[in-house]
Amino acid sequence: MYWDESVESLSRSELDALQLHRLRHMVERVSNYSFYHKKFADNHISASLINSLKDIRKLPFTTKQDLRDHYPYGFLCVPKEQLVRLHVSSGTSGQATAIFYSRGDVEHWAELMARCIYMTGARAGDTFQNLTGYGLFTGGLGFHYGAERLGLLTIPAGAGNSKRQIQLMKDFGTNVMHIIPSYALRLQDIMKEAGIHPRRDLKLRIAYLGAEPYSQEVRRRIEEFYGVRAYNSYGLSEMNGPGVAFECPHQLGMHIWEDSYFAEIIDPVTLEPVPEGTIGELVLTTLHREAMPLIRYRTKDLTRFMPGDCPCGRAHRRIDRMQGRSDDMFIIKGVNIFPIQVEQVLMNIPEVGNNYVIVLQRENNIDTMIVRVEVNEKIFIEDMRHLQRIQKKITHDLRSELLLTPQVELVEPHSLPKSEGKAVRLVDQRSL
Ligand code: AMP
Ligand code: ZN
């Protein structure tokens, strides 16, 4: 039932004790090196302050800006000769940052990933197709090493080249896949056009979806079309990459591997912990990192702890589907909106296709929000009146959710821009 029984079956109190032990050790170690050496000395911080897990609040936060300011080596806690890998974060919102791994870090990361994959029921004998980018992006190699560690027949397909992806799936009976949700939606359209029905023609059983925010509605569409159980996978380069939090078969939020990460959820304004169950910014501390430990790293990702215990029996706490990043939020006409709110509405409407984009414009000091929506194949060829009805329905549903009226434009299937990696859902042209 467990890949690593020694940590997956720990009780809450055992996990707490392990975390406290590792946290103290980590604080002790980083005090001697790098960024933290000076930071801790300036603020009179030492491991002796950490007597309970709550004492983590005595430690300073680490931000992306800190990583940038000390780029590239400022956070290293081992000599350079001990490094075996580096990844660079995608830098969708600013200058990139470099993350370093020791041999032990790469090993442990593979273990964490094997744990995630095993938890969902994949086993040796299964064929795993990895449809995400290999290279500086951590998603590809992270899953690759985990799947091999577990003993899956691993196909390093990489991103894109959809025809070949489909061929590989057919030829080798792929039953487990890792795919970015926006690409899964695109591949769905391509399969439909090619007359491929995954439930009939392929053997897919499990999909891992992550790397970008996506709604429950998108998950449902993917599960429905491919005939898979789709599991949410969360991670970020600063914490290795994928393998930080992952769903178990109950799909009730993602278990954070608390032997390796300490999680807090804070109010991004007051920086205080939010009440249990409230959405806030996820803050993570590595408990098991050699090369580049990070203390109280502000992820900017917004989520909440799920209340109660998971029926699977693992005590590792769960976080909810990400609502987005705090820097994804946009304000228009005084209303705060996350792109995911728009997606939830759109993907609940059957006539809506698999791609959309939100465009913000400003003219004569008046902001407008345009939602461009691909309609699905069948609809587009039908009559104008029908299209108008759909447009009205989308506008109405968006207004109820957002409390403002966006301009809805229906466009042909496959006409919106596509990206190789993470989808770009928001184009803000207001400062142009
Ligand atoms: P990077 O390290 O540059 O590949 O990006 C990591 C970021 O991707 C995270 O901080 C999240 O904002 C986003 N991300 C990763 N996995 C998920 C997920 N399952 N759901 C929502 N956002 C995710
Ligand atoms: Zn569970």
Side-chain angles (χ1 to χ4, degrees):
M1 145 126 183
Y2 299 122
W3 171 256
D4 185 348
E5 178 142 15
S6 69
V7 285
E8 285 179 74
S9 66
L10 292 178
S11 67
R12 186 68 252 162
S13 58
E14 288 166 334
L15 269 174
D16 287 347
L18 178 67
Q19 287 196 311
L20 182 58
H21 172 75
R22 289 193 170 164
L23 181 63
R24 283 197 77 155
H25 180 70
M26 182 68 70
V27 172
E28 210 169 270
R29 205 159 76 79
V30 301
S31 307
N32 300 317
Y33 298 98
S34 75
F35 170 80
Y36 294 110
H37 178 57
K38 184 165 169 4
K39 186 102 176 171
F40 283 12
D42 290 350
N43 294 286
H44 310 289
I45 288 166
S46 66
S48 62
L49 290 181
I50 308 292
N51 298 307
S52 77
L53 286 172
K54 281 208 175 83
D55 290 334
I56 195 167
R57 293 183 207 155
K58 296 174 181 162
L59 305 176
F61 290 106
T62 307
T63 63
K64 186 104 175 171
Q65 194 56 45
D66 293 325
L67 297 182
R68 288 185 185 134
D69 292 345
H70 298 83
Y71 180 87
Y73 297 120
F75 276 82
L76 274 193
C77 281
V78 297
K80 274 199 213 152
E81 308 81 79
Q82 286 182 30
L83 302 177
V84 299
R85 172 93 66 83
L86 85 81
H87 279 281
V88 171
S89 129
S90 51
T92 37
S93 37
Q95 184 205 316
T97 45
I99 307 296
F100 298 96
Y101 305 69
S102 67
R103 190 174 302 283
D105 291 333
V106 170
E107 282 281 309
H108 186 67
W109 186 19
E111 275 295 312
L112 284 174
M113 282 312 304
R115 206 194 282 178
C116 294
I117 299 171
Y118 189 89
M119 176 164 71
T120 63
R123 295 290 181 271
D126 286 331
T127 301
F128 170 68
Q129 192 163 325
N130 198 5
L131 293 87
T132 60
Y134 278 68
L136 293 175
F137 171 61
T138 51
L141 283 166
F143 266 86
H144 182 97
Y145 279 93
E148 280 191 356
R149 170 74 49 113
L150 172 52
L152 306 186
L153 170 58
T154 302
I155 310 178
N161 202 343
S162 303
K163 284 213 175 89
R164 193 179 59 188
Q165 300 283 6
I166 297 168
Q167 198 61 47
L168 288 167
M169 287 180 180
K170 278 186 173 163
D171 292 352
F172 303 104
T174 301
N175 50 8
V176 183
M177 68 172 170
H178 172 220
I179 185 164
I180 292 184
S182 51
Y183 182 51
L185 292 174
R186 180 140 52 96
L187 188 63
Q188 176 173 338
D189 290 343
I190 293 166
M191 283 191 183
K192 271 186 188 163
E193 258 176 34
I196 290 168
H197 301 281
R199 286 169 176 274
R200 182 193 67 197
D201 305 327
L202 303 173
K203 295 205 166 69
L204 292 168
R205 176 165 66 86
I206 294 174
Y208 306 119
L209 305 177
E212 64 184 11
Y214 64 105
S215 58
Q216 183 68 20
E217 287 71 21
V218 163
R219 186 218 309 250
R220 220 173 289 133
R221 279 189 179 205
I222 292 170
E223 290 194 324
E224 180 63 27
F225 178 76
Y226 291 99
V228 294
R229 299 283 306 270
Y231 296 100
N232 200 358
S233 153
Y234 171 78
L236 60 163
S237 325
E238 293 86 338
M239 298 285 134
N240 283 345
V244 174
F246 214 85
E247 276 183 325
C248 72
H250 296 277
Q251 297 178 308
L252 297 168
M254 298 176 280
H255 288 282
I256 300 176
W257 295 127
E258 291 190 277
D259 54 299
S260 301
Y261 301 98
F262 184 84
E264 301 166 82
I265 295 183
I266 62 161
D267 179 322
V269 178
T270 65
L271 306 183
E272 292 298 319
V274 293
E276 189 76 26
T278 310
I279 290 183
E281 178 181 343
L282 180 66
V283 171
L284 293 168
T285 298
T286 62
L287 297 175
H288 200 287
R289 208 112 172 271
E290 289 174 351
M292 199 170 157
L294 292 178
I295 305 264
R296 303 193 85 196
Y297 182 71
R298 291 189 56 183
T299 65
K300 300 235 172 134
D301 291 320
L302 300 171
T303 184
R304 63 180 184 122
F305 285 121
M306 302 290 280
D309 299 325
C310 187
C312 79
R314 289 178 183 80
H316 297 253
R317 274 190 298 178
R318 288 162 300 144
I319 48 172
D320 204 352
R321 173 176 298 282
M322 296 292 154
Q323 195 191 332
R325 296 174 57 78
S326 53
D327 39 21
D328 281 348
M329 192 191 77
F330 58 95
I331 304 177
I332 185 152
K333 295 182 177 159
V335 185
N336 299 354
I337 298 174
F338 284 97
I340 206 85
Q341 289 175 275
V342 173
E343 179 176 300
Q344 270 160 7
V345 170
L346 296 179
M347 295 296 154
N348 258 325
I349 302 175
E351 292 89 349
V352 167
N354 280 339
N355 204 358
Y356 70 94
V357 64
I358 303 163
V359 182
L360 307 180
Q361 291 178 343
R362 176 171 293 160
E363 221 171 285
N364 302 326
N365 276 328
I366 298 174
D367 288 355
T368 35
M369 171 177 170
I370 303 163
V371 182
R372 275 191 199 121
V373 183
E374 286 185 6
V375 290
N376 71 31
E377 213 84 36
K378 277 191 244 108
I379 304 305
F380 207 74
I381 44 171
E382 288 185 19
D383 66 301
M384 276 310 283
R385 270 215 310 278
H386 187 42
L387 278 176
Q388 277 164 357
R389 260 203 316 277
I390 296 165
Q391 190 180 26
K392 262 199 183 144
K393 164 136 183 70
I394 298 174
T395 310
H396 170 269
D397 289 3
L398 283 172
R399 189 192 308 128
S400 314
E401 166 69 27
L402 309 174
L403 308 176
L404 67 84
T405 313
Q407 198 174 310
V408 174
E409 294 178 5
L410 301 185
V411 300
E412 284 186 51
H414 317 301
S415 61
L416 291 176
K418 305 161 183 59
S419 50
E420 265 278 294
K422 304 180 187 217
V424 179
R425 298 298 195 194
L426 179 69
V427 181
D428 193 343
Q429 301 173 332
R430 287 179 297 180
S431 54
L432 295 181

